[in-house]
Amino acid sequence: MTESPFDSYLAMVERVGALLRYDESTVGPLRAPKRSIIVSIPIEMDNGQVEVFTGYRVQYDTIRGPAKGGIRYHPAVTLDEVKALAAWMSVKCAVVDIPFGGAKGGVAVDPARLSLRELERLTRRYVAEIFDIIGPDRDIPAPDVGTNPQVMAWVMDTISMKRGYVEPGTVTGKPVPLGGSRGREEATARGLLYTVQAALRVPGLSLEGARVAIQGYGNVGGHAARLLHDGGARIIAVSDVRGGIHDPRGLDPQALHRHLGTTGSVVGFPGAAPITNADLLTLECDILVPAALEQQITEENADRVRARLIAEGANGPTTPDADAILRERGIFIIPDILCNAGGVVVSYFEWVQDRYGYFWKEEEVQARLAEKMQQAFDDVLTVANQHQVDMRTAAYAMGVSRIAEARRLRGLYG
Ligand code: GLU
């Protein structure tokens, strides 16, 4: 049975709680978010009608620092999903050892259905509704599925106008001219590349000539295709919401980028055969990169996955049941909370640069990101070897133990 995304998180907490022999006083606080809010967002549409959308912001914890996490615009956004995404941010920030707790926000909306002006009004009103709980020392939003640097610019402007002074560190993933970090846009994909390079040393594969299939061609999948291709891999299949394309000889990400620019989809790319999103996941390849949404690899298809390595660009793409099947089949998985952490790592760098008011060169961002990702990968691998567990369990054990230790040191207030 496929559980909800938040149930998947809870299952991992129980698993590592048992592994680390934690008592109930340690596990209990990990099971619920610090704060969840639901807001109504009425906006005037271009036709003069008022439509009301529902928005969420969940702060999972602020144990190791301000809450941190993106804002998602997607029609299927629910409180359960945002809660899971916030919990994953919390563990992710601890895995890469950056001084943040976890948060996530979302609005149940299809952004493709809105005009640019409607999108701006939606963003400004959503931010106004959560204004009291966000800020550079409280909770720092960033982009996620369906949002982008322009949306983050509106977030920053709304907060700055309400405060009465410019506050760049209140949001990350902003455009560079507004205090964004160089290298932030491709950071998640670059972090993914670094973890793949680190993992390839383990199962003895090589990136040179490796056949890669990527589900999702947004910020993560699109940049990952280019970076993996530049690293010598052969991108044999990619997909987006409209469908996928397959060419065993390899796709050229640059030509694909131009095709996407003119048609709005990867579908119909000349010379490639069509493939469904479902079939892409079970394609024979060396590296599978799920980079779309949660719960794509399930108990229904896990026994047919033919990749040797899975690099989870998306958050929560594998259900716990599927995870068990893949584990048994010996497929090496770089779990989401490690694999896609490059985005929030460079968000952290952006926050640091905003606070200093001093900005780094792109090479410096990349070098520091490489160092962070390598360290996190090595830390997780050490835990995996120590406890004789898979990389996901090890990553959770690493993250959860850092959070639990910080909580123990702080003690209980009141
Ligand atoms: N949305 C990204 C994630 O899921 C980045 C979050 C951030 O930079 O705060 O990791």
Side-chain angles (χ1 to χ4, degrees):
M1 190 199 68
T2 300
E3 299 154 316
S4 78
F6 190 64
D7 286 336
S8 310
Y9 161 79
L10 290 177
M12 287 312 297
V13 166
E14 299 312 320
R15 178 197 284 260
V16 299
L19 180 75
L20 301 172
R21 297 181 206 284
Y22 281 165
D23 60 12
E24 184 55 28
S25 303
T26 308
V27 178
L30 295 161
R31 293 200 192 102
K34 173 188 172 70
R35 180 189 277 150
S36 311
I37 68 167
I38 306 179
V39 296
S40 273
I41 311 165
I43 63 160
E44 189 180 325
M45 306 301 280
D46 292 345
N47 65 9
Q49 298 289 315
V50 172
E51 265 191 53
V52 184
F53 297 88
T54 305
Y56 309 89
R57 186 77 187 166
V58 174
Q59 296 176 340
Y60 208 81
D61 75 59
T62 53
I63 297 296
R64 302 176 70 258
K68 182 85 192 81
I71 298 172
R72 174 171 296 198
Y73 289 172
H74 190 276
V77 162
T78 61
L79 181 60
D80 183 279
E81 184 195 37
V82 178
K83 229 160 71 171
L85 290 162
W88 289 330
M89 284 310 301
S90 169
V91 188
K92 189 188 304 189
C93 290
V95 167
V96 286
D97 205 9
I98 56 177
F100 291 136
K104 203 78 167 204
V107 179
V109 62
D110 180 1
R113 209 174 60 76
L114 301 191
S115 71
L116 200 63
R117 287 282 153 252
E118 289 168 341
L119 201 62
E120 178 173 352
R121 286 198 286 274
L122 176 91
T123 302
R124 289 187 183 280
R125 182 62 188 251
Y126 168 63
V127 171
E129 295 295 344
I130 62 169
F131 176 76
D132 289 340
I133 61 161
I134 55 178
D137 297 310
R138 291 183 176 172
D139 179 358
I140 307 132
D144 195 74
V145 174
T147 58
N148 57 30
Q150 176 58 73
V151 173
M152 299 308 117
W154 294 325
V155 172
M156 177 193 141
D157 184 69
T158 304
I159 294 169
S160 299
M161 293 310 291
K162 279 176 73 75
R163 293 231 201 279
Y165 53 89
V166 182
E167 196 152 56
T170 201
V171 60
T172 59
K174 303 176 291 294
V176 171
L178 297 182
S181 179
R182 293 187 174 81
R184 174 62 186 85
E185 276 224 71
E186 57 160 43
T188 309
R190 188 165 279 283
L192 181 147
L193 169 75
Y194 295 147
T195 59
V196 167
Q197 284 170 333
L200 288 175
R201 278 180 230 129
V202 182
L205 287 166
S206 149
L207 196 54
E208 192 62 50
R211 296 158 306 160
V212 179
I214 304 178
Q215 187 199 47
Y217 213 72
N219 176 265
V220 183
H223 285 296
R226 179 177 54 81
L227 292 170
L228 290 165
H229 173 267
D230 292 352
R234 186 149 44 102
I235 312 300
I236 60 163
V238 301
S239 66
D240 59 30
V241 275
R242 291 202 220 154
I245 53 171
H246 176 211
D247 186 347
R249 295 164 304 170
L251 300 155
D252 171 9
Q254 255 179 17
L256 191 53
H257 186 72
R258 285 193 294 275
H259 175 78
L260 192 67
T262 50
T263 68
S265 173
V266 298
V267 171
F269 183 61
I275 185 170
T276 65
N277 261 293
D279 287 345
L280 180 142
L281 294 173
T282 55
L283 208 58
E284 179 164 347
C285 63
D286 297 303
I287 306 173
L288 175 63
V289 183
L293 293 172
E294 303 89 69
Q295 304 193 322
Q296 299 301 304
I297 306 177
T298 66
E299 60 179 343
E300 305 293 320
N301 59 10
D303 54 349
R304 285 180 286 121
V305 167
R306 284 185 286 166
R308 297 165 73 185
L309 172 75
I310 299 178
E312 294 185 336
N315 290 310
T318 310
T319 65
D321 290 338
D323 197 40
I325 297 170
L326 297 171
R327 239 189 347 254
E328 206 152 286
R329 295 185 51 214
I331 298 177
F332 191 89
I333 303 177
I334 314 171
D336 50 3
I337 54 171
L338 170 63
C339 190
N340 71 31
V344 75
V345 166
V346 177
S347 276
Y348 165 53
F349 296 161
E350 179 170 333
W351 179 77
V352 168
Q353 292 170 78
D354 288 338
R355 304 198 118 198
Y356 265 85
Y358 180 77
F359 293 87
W360 312 344
K361 290 196 186 102
E362 181 145 1
E363 302 82 75
E364 192 171 346
V365 172
Q366 283 178 13
R368 287 181 194 253
L369 173 63
E371 195 186 316
K372 268 276 179 218
M373 297 306 293
Q374 186 64 53
Q375 184 65 53
F377 190 92
D378 291 346
D379 286 352
V380 171
L381 190 62
T382 304
V383 174
N385 290 335
Q386 207 173 17
H387 291 282
Q388 290 295 302
V389 291
D390 60 287
M391 290 292 277
R392 191 186 313 279
T393 306
Y396 270 86
M398 173 95 267
V400 162
S401 63
R402 284 180 176 153
I403 296 166
E405 167 71 350
R407 199 185 286 273
R408 191 187 61 75
L409 288 167
R410 284 182 65 163
L412 276 186
Y413 173 79

